[in-house]
Amino acid sequence: FEIEWVDRLDAAMERLDGGSYGAILLDLSLPDSIGLDSLAKIHAQAPQVPTIVLTGMEEEMLALSAVPEGAHDHLVQSLLDSKPLVRVLCYAIERNRLLTELEQTRLCEQHDRALAMMEEAVCAFQKTETSEAPPMREAQSDAFDELVGQYTELLDAALEERAYSTKHDITD
């Protein structure tokens, strides 16, 4: 692993702006930010990067409450040595990779379903255009509105995925 160390949250935020990282180790007791607020800021800045929080022995409950807030794992600093650190980092990075793949698969399936619905709508539209029946928008307004809504959600999801999409090479 290649490690970059900073001692303040604002410095970490600047580094996240300019680089690509496989994981973040976040001390929840930094001079400029303490507790879950630090995690929220890091997660907002780099939601696609797995974050492992570091705490003191007396902060075990804080560490446990960090996981539902977006942390991938937690470690107690006084018990930290290389084996558990490497294990936690590898697990967090792999878990994040699998979750990203799963989300991409979900988006592809959603895209396929939306395309199938649109094909059905086009067929229905073509049918109504060649007959004396009213257009689909009028004849099946609920189905038409649902189709437009799902298409909008699909486009939003695709744009969001593209905005957060990064490639991490952790094999070094």
Side-chain angles (χ1 to χ4, degrees), residues 101-121:
E101 280 182 20
L102 184 63
E103 179 64 14
Q104 288 173 345
T105 300
R106 186 190 67 77
L107 287 173
C108 285
E109 289 172 354
Q110 185 180 12
H111 178 260
D112 290 345
R113 283 192 307 272
L115 284 177
M117 284 181 63
M118 284 196 283
E119 286 175 6
E120 289 176 22

mmCIF file of all heavy atoms in Angstrom, residues 101-121:
data_model
loop_
_atom_site.group_PDB
_atom_site.id
_atom_site.type_symbol
_atom_site.label_atom_id
_atom_site.label_comp_id
_atom_site.label_asym_id
_atom_site.label_seq_id
_atom_site.Cartn_x
_atom_site.Cartn_y
_atom_site.Cartn_z
ATOM 1 N N GLU A 101 -19.787 -3.088 -8.385
ATOM 2 C CA GLU A 101 -20.213 -3.998 -9.464
ATOM 3 C C GLU A 101 -21.702 -4.311 -9.349
ATOM 4 O O GLU A 101 -22.413 -4.340 -10.350
ATOM 5 C CB GLU A 101 -19.416 -5.298 -9.418
ATOM 6 C CG GLU A 101 -18.055 -5.208 -10.034
ATOM 7 C CD GLU A 101 -17.336 -6.549 -10.010
ATOM 8 O OE1 GLU A 101 -17.987 -7.614 -9.865
ATOM 9 O OE2 GLU A 101 -16.096 -6.530 -10.132
ATOM 10 N N LEU A 102 -22.155 -4.570 -8.136
ATOM 11 C CA LEU A 102 -23.563 -4.871 -7.912
ATOM 12 C C LEU A 102 -24.446 -3.703 -8.322
ATOM 13 O O LEU A 102 -25.472 -3.886 -8.984
ATOM 14 C CB LEU A 102 -23.799 -5.229 -6.439
ATOM 15 C CG LEU A 102 -25.184 -5.669 -6.045
ATOM 16 C CD1 LEU A 102 -25.566 -6.957 -6.756
ATOM 17 C CD2 LEU A 102 -25.251 -5.871 -4.537
ATOM 18 N N GLU A 103 -24.038 -2.494 -7.971
ATOM 19 C CA GLU A 103 -24.799 -1.305 -8.344
ATOM 20 C C GLU A 103 -24.815 -1.124 -9.863
ATOM 21 O O GLU A 103 -25.843 -0.783 -10.440
ATOM 22 C CB GLU A 103 -24.222 -0.054 -7.667
ATOM 23 C CG GLU A 103 -24.933 1.228 -8.013
ATOM 24 C CD GLU A 103 -26.383 1.294 -7.564
ATOM 25 O OE1 GLU A 103 -26.832 0.458 -6.744
ATOM 26 O OE2 GLU A 103 -27.101 2.185 -8.051
ATOM 27 N N GLN A 104 -23.684 -1.367 -10.509
ATOM 28 C CA GLN A 104 -23.640 -1.260 -11.969
ATOM 29 C C GLN A 104 -24.538 -2.300 -12.617
ATOM 30 O O GLN A 104 -25.222 -2.009 -13.600
ATOM 31 C CB GLN A 104 -22.201 -1.390 -12.470
ATOM 32 C CG GLN A 104 -21.363 -0.176 -12.144
ATOM 33 C CD GLN A 104 -19.896 -0.355 -12.489
ATOM 34 O OE1 GLN A 104 -19.418 -1.456 -12.715
ATOM 35 N NE2 GLN A 104 -19.162 0.750 -12.512
ATOM 36 N N THR A 105 -24.556 -3.503 -12.077
ATOM 37 C CA THR A 105 -25.435 -4.552 -12.589
ATOM 38 C C THR A 105 -26.892 -4.147 -12.409
ATOM 39 O O THR A 105 -27.707 -4.299 -13.321
ATOM 40 C CB THR A 105 -25.163 -5.891 -11.867
ATOM 41 O OG1 THR A 105 -23.807 -6.261 -12.099
ATOM 42 C CG2 THR A 105 -26.085 -6.984 -12.351
ATOM 43 N N ARG A 106 -27.216 -3.599 -11.242
ATOM 44 C CA ARG A 106 -28.585 -3.136 -10.982
ATOM 45 C C ARG A 106 -28.985 -2.045 -11.973
ATOM 46 O O ARG A 106 -30.082 -2.064 -12.529
ATOM 47 C CB ARG A 106 -28.706 -2.629 -9.548
ATOM 48 C CG ARG A 106 -30.139 -2.259 -9.151
ATOM 49 C CD ARG A 106 -30.202 -1.544 -7.814
ATOM 50 N NE ARG A 106 -29.592 -0.237 -7.855
ATOM 51 C CZ ARG A 106 -30.148 0.855 -8.397
ATOM 52 N NH1 ARG A 106 -31.324 0.782 -8.969
ATOM 53 N NH2 ARG A 106 -29.529 2.020 -8.376
ATOM 54 N N LEU A 107 -28.076 -1.113 -12.227
ATOM 55 C CA LEU A 107 -28.362 -0.039 -13.175
ATOM 56 C C LEU A 107 -28.548 -0.585 -14.592
ATOM 57 O O LEU A 107 -29.430 -0.123 -15.329
ATOM 58 C CB LEU A 107 -27.258 1.014 -13.156
ATOM 59 C CG LEU A 107 -27.220 1.920 -11.930
ATOM 60 C CD1 LEU A 107 -25.977 2.804 -11.955
ATOM 61 C CD2 LEU A 107 -28.472 2.757 -11.828
ATOM 62 N N CYS A 108 -27.742 -1.574 -14.970
ATOM 63 C CA CYS A 108 -27.889 -2.180 -16.301
ATOM 64 C C CYS A 108 -29.236 -2.885 -16.418
ATOM 65 O O CYS A 108 -29.917 -2.772 -17.449
ATOM 66 C CB CYS A 108 -26.758 -3.179 -16.572
ATOM 67 S SG CYS A 108 -25.186 -2.387 -16.937
ATOM 68 N N GLU A 109 -29.631 -3.610 -15.367
ATOM 69 C CA GLU A 109 -30.928 -4.293 -15.393
ATOM 70 C C GLU A 109 -32.066 -3.277 -15.451
ATOM 71 O O GLU A 109 -33.040 -3.467 -16.179
ATOM 72 C CB GLU A 109 -31.073 -5.202 -14.176
ATOM 73 C CG GLU A 109 -30.183 -6.423 -14.240
ATOM 74 C CD GLU A 109 -30.167 -7.231 -12.951
ATOM 75 O OE1 GLU A 109 -30.765 -6.788 -11.933
ATOM 76 O OE2 GLU A 109 -29.537 -8.300 -12.961
ATOM 77 N N GLN A 110 -31.939 -2.198 -14.699
ATOM 78 C CA GLN A 110 -32.950 -1.140 -14.720
ATOM 79 C C GLN A 110 -33.012 -0.517 -16.120
ATOM 80 O O GLN A 110 -34.092 -0.250 -16.640
ATOM 81 C CB GLN A 110 -32.608 -0.090 -13.664
ATOM 82 C CG GLN A 110 -33.646 0.989 -13.507
ATOM 83 C CD GLN A 110 -33.252 2.002 -12.444
ATOM 84 O OE1 GLN A 110 -32.124 2.039 -11.971
ATOM 85 N NE2 GLN A 110 -34.202 2.833 -12.068
ATOM 86 N N HIS A 111 -31.867 -0.318 -16.707
ATOM 87 C CA HIS A 111 -31.798 0.234 -18.058
ATOM 88 C C HIS A 111 -32.482 -0.706 -19.047
ATOM 89 O O HIS A 111 -33.267 -0.262 -19.894
ATOM 90 C CB HIS A 111 -30.331 0.453 -18.440
ATOM 91 C CG HIS A 111 -30.133 0.975 -19.814
ATOM 92 N ND1 HIS A 111 -29.775 0.166 -20.872
ATOM 93 C CD2 HIS A 111 -30.247 2.234 -20.318
ATOM 94 C CE1 HIS A 111 -29.684 0.896 -21.957
ATOM 95 N NE2 HIS A 111 -29.959 2.154 -21.657
ATOM 96 N N ASP A 112 -32.196 -2.004 -18.947
ATOM 97 C CA ASP A 112 -32.814 -2.985 -19.840
ATOM 98 C C ASP A 112 -34.335 -3.001 -19.692
ATOM 99 O O ASP A 112 -35.059 -3.062 -20.687
ATOM 100 C CB ASP A 112 -32.246 -4.387 -19.588
ATOM 101 C CG ASP A 112 -30.794 -4.521 -20.035
ATOM 102 O OD1 ASP A 112 -30.313 -3.654 -20.792
ATOM 103 O OD2 ASP A 112 -30.146 -5.508 -19.620
ATOM 104 N N ARG A 113 -34.817 -2.940 -18.444
ATOM 105 C CA ARG A 113 -36.267 -2.906 -18.213
ATOM 106 C C ARG A 113 -36.886 -1.646 -18.812
ATOM 107 O O ARG A 113 -37.948 -1.697 -19.438
ATOM 108 C CB ARG A 113 -36.578 -2.998 -16.719
ATOM 109 C CG ARG A 113 -36.446 -4.384 -16.138
ATOM 110 C CD ARG A 113 -37.030 -4.488 -14.734
ATOM 111 N NE ARG A 113 -36.514 -3.500 -13.801
ATOM 112 C CZ ARG A 113 -35.419 -3.656 -13.066
ATOM 113 N NH1 ARG A 113 -34.714 -4.760 -13.159
ATOM 114 N NH2 ARG A 113 -35.029 -2.714 -12.232
ATOM 115 N N ALA A 114 -36.213 -0.515 -18.641
ATOM 116 C CA ALA A 114 -36.735 0.736 -19.185
ATOM 117 C C ALA A 114 -36.762 0.695 -20.717
ATOM 118 O O ALA A 114 -37.724 1.157 -21.333
ATOM 119 C CB ALA A 114 -35.893 1.919 -18.701
ATOM 120 N N LEU A 115 -35.721 0.115 -21.307
ATOM 121 C CA LEU A 115 -35.711 0.001 -22.764
ATOM 122 C C LEU A 115 -36.846 -0.899 -23.258
ATOM 123 O O LEU A 115 -37.503 -0.579 -24.258
ATOM 124 C CB LEU A 115 -34.369 -0.547 -23.252
ATOM 125 C CG LEU A 115 -33.205 0.440 -23.253
ATOM 126 C CD1 LEU A 115 -31.920 -0.269 -23.684
ATOM 127 C CD2 LEU A 115 -33.475 1.623 -24.152
ATOM 128 N N ALA A 116 -37.075 -1.991 -22.550
ATOM 129 C CA ALA A 116 -38.171 -2.889 -22.932
ATOM 130 C C ALA A 116 -39.511 -2.167 -22.830
ATOM 131 O O ALA A 116 -40.365 -2.301 -23.719
ATOM 132 C CB ALA A 116 -38.160 -4.141 -22.056
ATOM 133 N N MET A 117 -39.699 -1.385 -21.764
ATOM 134 C CA MET A 117 -40.937 -0.623 -21.615
ATOM 135 C C MET A 117 -41.084 0.398 -22.735
ATOM 136 O O MET A 117 -42.170 0.592 -23.265
ATOM 137 C CB MET A 117 -40.983 0.086 -20.258
ATOM 138 C CG MET A 117 -41.301 -0.819 -19.096
ATOM 139 S SD MET A 117 -41.364 0.095 -17.534
ATOM 140 C CE MET A 117 -42.734 1.194 -17.846
ATOM 141 N N MET A 118 -39.966 1.030 -23.094
ATOM 142 C CA MET A 118 -40.036 2.026 -24.164
ATOM 143 C C MET A 118 -40.357 1.364 -25.504
ATOM 144 O O MET A 118 -41.114 1.929 -26.298
ATOM 145 C CB MET A 118 -38.735 2.811 -24.241
ATOM 146 C CG MET A 118 -38.627 3.830 -23.119
ATOM 147 S SD MET A 118 -37.372 5.073 -23.388
ATOM 148 C CE MET A 118 -35.913 4.171 -23.011
ATOM 149 N N GLU A 119 -39.777 0.183 -25.732
ATOM 150 C CA GLU A 119 -40.103 -0.534 -26.970
ATOM 151 C C GLU A 119 -41.592 -0.862 -27.020
ATOM 152 O O GLU A 119 -42.241 -0.700 -28.066
ATOM 153 C CB GLU A 119 -39.272 -1.810 -27.073
ATOM 154 C CG GLU A 119 -37.830 -1.561 -27.421
ATOM 155 C CD GLU A 119 -36.984 -2.822 -27.398
ATOM 156 O OE1 GLU A 119 -37.542 -3.935 -27.213
ATOM 157 O OE2 GLU A 119 -35.768 -2.702 -27.572
ATOM 158 N N GLU A 120 -42.139 -1.311 -25.892
ATOM 159 C CA GLU A 120 -43.574 -1.594 -25.833
ATOM 160 C C GLU A 120 -44.383 -0.325 -26.082
ATOM 161 O O GLU A 120 -45.389 -0.347 -26.789
ATOM 162 C CB GLU A 120 -43.945 -2.188 -24.471
ATOM 163 C CG GLU A 120 -43.454 -3.603 -24.262
ATOM 164 C CD GLU A 120 -43.761 -4.114 -22.862
ATOM 165 O OE1 GLU A 120 -44.682 -3.579 -22.201
ATOM 166 O OE2 GLU A 120 -43.072 -5.038 -22.428
ATOM 167 N N ALA A 121 -43.914 0.783 -25.509
ATOM 168 C CA ALA A 121 -44.628 2.045 -25.686
ATOM 169 C C ALA A 121 -44.584 2.498 -27.140
ATOM 170 O O ALA A 121 -45.573 2.997 -27.675
ATOM 171 C CB ALA A 121 -44.025 3.114 -24.775
#
